[in-house]
Structures are given as structure tokens and as C-alpha cells.
Amino acid sequence: MAMKDYSDEFKADAVALYESTPGATYKSVAADLGINRATLREWVLRDRERRGVTAAPARPASRPAAVASADPDERVRRLEARVAELEASERKLATERDILRKAAKYPRRRDELVISRFQFVDDHRSTYEVKRLCQVLDVNRSSYYKWLAGAEARVARTRHDLVLADEIREVHRESGGAYGSPRVTAELREKGHAVNEKRVARVMRACHITGIRLRRRVRTTVPDPATSPVDDLFQCDFTATEPGRRRMGDITYLPLAGGKFLYLATVLDCFSRKVVGWSIADHMRTDLVADALRMAARTRGSLEGAVFHSDHGAQYGSRAYADLCDELRVTRSMGAVGTSADNAACESFHASLKRETLQGARDFGDADACRRTVFAWLTRYNTRRRHSANGHLSPNEYERRHHAAKLTLAA
């Protein structure tokens, strides 16, 4: 077997042998040395370039040089060797061009590029040598054979992915087209499927199944400069260790046809993110937020001892709302003025509501359709929609498990 790594001394001796042999060709000397003709030629040309020689030096001969150089047969042999060399080079370049031209028709996406190259090699291995194909496409030959050995496993995985895709479509359809890969994964696991989120995301991406993306929102918080200051008791911490202790609320707009709006006020429980109260009206007066808080009191039975957090909207800062909180024995909390992060959980909740109900539409249509759509989403949100803050459990299920765990510990 020929060596793959030659010492500098070996290269120098090979060049010297070629240069000192009268009538020698690259092919004949390379055959004697057991190396590739092109390799020997490269060494000779590199040595000549280093020495500044543009033509082959005169070689010593046993007979007069004039006679050797004048030999017409020798000149013909050299010309024939050069022509053969150029023809071989041209064939090699033509083959490479043909391979690259055909390979350009295969998928060019970054995540599929290597796989498509392997597939191209496999599709054209009967036309070209695998070694040449791998060289031209710049892929490792051993990696190609490893990919080829896994063909049966890939077929099985594709078959399983098709089955999984049908199950994903069903979950996605049940969510109203809202769920992305995390919630779809949680739903599948709940149904008994041992599935990885990365695999779900990959299958959804391949099948063009996507959740609904955020839309821009309209500012609804209008601070009242005449209100008395209220401390921020949350400090951007929207969590709670028990249901009913910490609540938060906000107002959002609901666009209707013709440029009109309805407005939604909500009250969320920080423990499970459950919607415990809401109100929809065609105005943003204090009654809107007061009705939502009263519903929360009815839902939980009592709000006594709870802390309610909001932004600095005029409705939440009004005297009437403060009186209602005192009546229900609720402690008020407000974030900083002009800082949406201080009520980020409510902002996120309203964004999800409109993203999943509008689904890209500009408005809900008329007021009745809007009320029905939002009502259906709010109730489903509590009973079925999986929430990332709850470990992908619905708010109701999250609270149920919490109560069950407390009873178990008490027993």
C-alpha cells in the first residue's frame, strides 16, 4: 500500500530522480516509486518554482544532449504524455461540474444540507464513484456509509412521525389552533404518550403546524394624577404559595368591526393563574373593574385578606374602587407608573387571549360574537388550557392537585 505521508527527504529524492533521468515521464518515475503521477508532478513543479526554473533543466545523458533533444520520437512521447495529462484533467473537471450541477437541485435548507448530500451520493453512486462524489460534495465517506446503514431506522422513524403528526393535529385542533410544541407535548403526555418536546417541535415544524403569534396591543392604562399613592407590594413577583392570597388585574381592549371596541377587565389568582373574575363592557369606567372584582369575590366566596395588584389606570385609582376594596377587605397594590413589567403577568394573559381568539383576524366582528368568543375562551382557559407556569396543567387541575396534596399531608 502506498504511503499517505511522505518525508521532505523522500520528496527531494523523487524530484532529483525525475530531473536526472533522461526521457523520463511522470508516469514511469511515479510507477517506480509507487506513488501517484499527479503527486510527483506537483513535487517537481513546486521544486522548480522554488528554484525559479520555468522549464525543465537539461538532464545528463550517456550520449550527447544534442542528439537526445533532437530525437523526434522522444519529443512525440513527451507531447503525447502532456496531451493525456490535460485530457485526464479536463475529464475530471467535467465530472465535477456535472456532479455539482445535479447536486444544486437538491434541498438547500441548512438543517437538511448534509442529509441531502448523503442522499445525492446514494442516488448517483451507480453513475460516479462514491469516493469522487464525497470529495466533490465535501462530505466524509465514512459518515455517508454510517448514514446508509441507518436507512431502515429512518424509515421506521418517518412512519412513527406520521402517526405522531396525526395526534399532534388533533391536539392542535382541540386547542383552537393555539398550542405550540410545549403545550402539545404536555397534552400528549397526559394522554399516555412518552414523547420528547424536541421531537414534537420537529414534527410540527415539518408539518407546518404552529401556534398563534402575538399581535400589537393598544394602550388602555390611563393614570389619574389626582389619586393617592399605593405601594407596590408585588415587586414583579407574580407567584403565590396558596390560592386566594395574591391576585392581579388589568383592562384590555377587544376590537370590533367598524373601529369600535369592547373592554375586558380580569382578575387572576397568582397561584394558578386562574381567571376568578371578569367583566366585559363598552366603556372603561370604574364599574368595569369593580364588576370583575365582585365576580372574583363570588367565585372564591371571599376576598378577605387578599392582596390585589394592578397598574395605575384611573379606574383602579378611583375613590369608588378603593371603597370597594375596603368593603371586600382587599389590600391594594400598584406597580410603577409607565412600567408594563410591573403587571407583566396580566399583560401576557391578555396577549394570549387575543392571540388565540382572533387568530390573525383584525376584529371579533360584532359585540355579541365578541362576548361569546371571549366567554368560551375564558371558561376553557380555567378548565382545559395548559399553562406553562403550572407545569402545563390547567389552572383548575393545578389547584385540585394542590388541595389533594395538602389533604394527603394532613392525613
Side-chain angles (χ1 to χ4, degrees):
M1 181 181 292
M3 292 188 297
K4 295 184 179 180
D5 187 18
Y6 303 95
S7 64
D8 293 339
E9 182 179 2
F10 181 91
K11 295 176 183 179
D13 289 343
V15 171
L17 176 62
Y18 173 79
E19 297 286 20
S20 62
T21 303
T25 63
Y26 291 121
K27 183 176 181 179
S28 62
V29 175
D32 292 340
L33 297 175
I35 62 177
N36 186 277
R37 177 191 59 77
T39 301
L40 175 61
R41 179 174 177 273
E42 181 182 353
W43 293 348
V44 171
L45 295 178
R46 191 179 301 167
D47 181 72
R48 290 177 181 176
E49 182 179 0
R50 179 182 60 80
R51 293 184 288 112
V53 177
T54 57
R59 301 174 177 175
S62 57
R63 54 187 177 179
V67 175
S69 62
D71 186 355
D73 292 337
E74 175 64 21
R75 294 180 61 189
V76 169
R77 282 195 297 272
R78 292 190 179 185
L79 290 174
E80 288 177 344
R82 180 58 177 164
V83 169
E85 183 179 334
L86 292 174
E87 288 177 345
S89 178
E90 176 62 25
R91 285 194 300 272
K92 179 181 178 181
L93 291 174
T95 300
E96 291 179 356
R97 284 195 301 268
D98 189 43
I99 292 173
L100 292 173
R101 185 170 58 251
K102 293 177 179 178
K105 300 177 182 178
Y106 274 59
R108 306 297 295 176
R109 284 175 48 183
R110 181 178 296 273
D111 56 344
E112 298 179 355
L113 188 56
V114 174
I115 301 302
S116 67
R117 288 178 178 177
F118 288 157
Q119 188 63 57
F120 180 86
V121 172
D122 195 54
D123 292 343
H124 294 82
R125 59 185 303 180
S126 59
T127 306
Y128 309 101
E129 293 181 350
V130 170
K131 180 179 179 181
R132 173 60 63 82
L133 287 166
C134 291
Q135 287 175 341
V136 174
L137 298 178
D138 193 25
V139 295
N140 192 294
R141 199 168 10 149
S142 62
S143 298
Y144 160 70
Y145 284 118
K146 183 177 179 180
W147 173 85
L148 191 62
E152 185 175 345
R154 286 195 305 277
V155 170
R157 188 179 73 169
T158 300
R159 185 167 56 250
H160 295 155
D161 284 351
L162 291 175
V163 175
L164 178 61
D166 289 339
E167 295 169 346
I168 289 173
R169 288 190 183 95
E170 180 64 24
V171 172
H172 191 253
R173 183 165 51 251
E174 290 176 355
S175 74
Y179 280 5
S181 59
R183 290 188 174 90
V184 169
T185 303
E187 188 73 28
L188 290 173
R189 288 174 178 170
E190 186 76 17
K191 293 181 178 181
H193 298 284
V195 65
N196 183 282
E197 184 184 332
K198 290 184 178 179
R199 183 185 175 202
V200 172
R202 174 176 57 78
V203 173
M204 290 181 68
R205 186 167 54 250
C207 297
H208 306 290
I209 305 172
T210 59
I212 305 168
R213 301 187 180 277
L214 288 171
R215 293 171 55 87
R216 293 185 61 185
R217 66 184 301 275
V218 173
R219 179 172 179 256
T220 55
T221 301
V222 182
D224 183 355
T227 57
S228 58
V230 177
D231 293 335
D232 183 357
L233 304 180
F234 272 38
Q235 297 296 321
C236 292
D237 179 8
F238 304 106
T239 61
T241 57
E242 291 288 336
R245 292 184 177 179
R246 290 155 63 91
R247 294 187 170 85
M248 52 190 172
D250 197 6
I251 302 173
T252 191
Y253 77 104
L254 303 173
L256 305 177
K260 297 180 180 180
F261 297 96
L262 290 181
Y263 300 92
L264 169 69
T266 52
V267 179
L268 307 182
D269 193 304
C270 293
F271 175 75
S272 62
R273 305 300 169 88
K274 179 175 180 175
V275 190
V276 292
W278 71 81
S279 177
I280 301 176
D282 58 1
H283 60 80
M284 286 199 300
R285 295 189 294 272
T286 302
D287 288 346
L288 176 69
V289 296
D291 288 345
L293 192 64
R294 290 191 184 97
M295 178 180 176
R298 292 192 299 271
T299 300
R300 291 302 196 189
S302 173
L303 298 181
E304 183 175 354
V307 177
F308 178 79
H309 183 82
S310 67
D311 56 27
H312 276 264
Q315 303 85 355
Y316 294 110
S318 67
R319 183 68 265 171
Y321 192 76
D323 291 342
L324 177 61
C325 288
D326 292 341
E327 177 188 334
L328 298 175
R329 298 185 180 183
V330 172
T331 302
R332 291 191 298 159
S333 169
M334 286 187 176
V337 177
T339 305
S340 61
D342 284 349
N343 205 21
C346 280
E347 301 272 353
S348 176
F349 170 80
H350 288 152
S352 296
L353 183 154
K354 285 188 278 191
R355 180 178 68 240
E356 297 179 14
T357 52
L358 286 171
Q359 300 191 11
R362 298 182 64 88
D363 57 67
F364 289 96
D366 59 33
D368 290 340
C370 177
R371 288 177 182 274
R372 289 193 301 269
T373 301
V374 173
F375 173 79
W377 189 90
L378 290 172
T379 52
R380 187 182 184 280
Y381 171 90
N382 283 339
T383 58
R384 294 194 58 191
R385 186 184 182 277
R386 297 180 181 275
H387 202 297
S388 57
N390 298 339
H392 291 298
L393 297 175
S394 68
N396 283 0
E397 178 64 16
Y398 189 68
E399 290 191 2
R400 188 194 67 78
R401 295 192 184 189
H402 173 75
H403 291 312
K406 286 185 65 177
L407 291 175
T408 302
L409 292 175

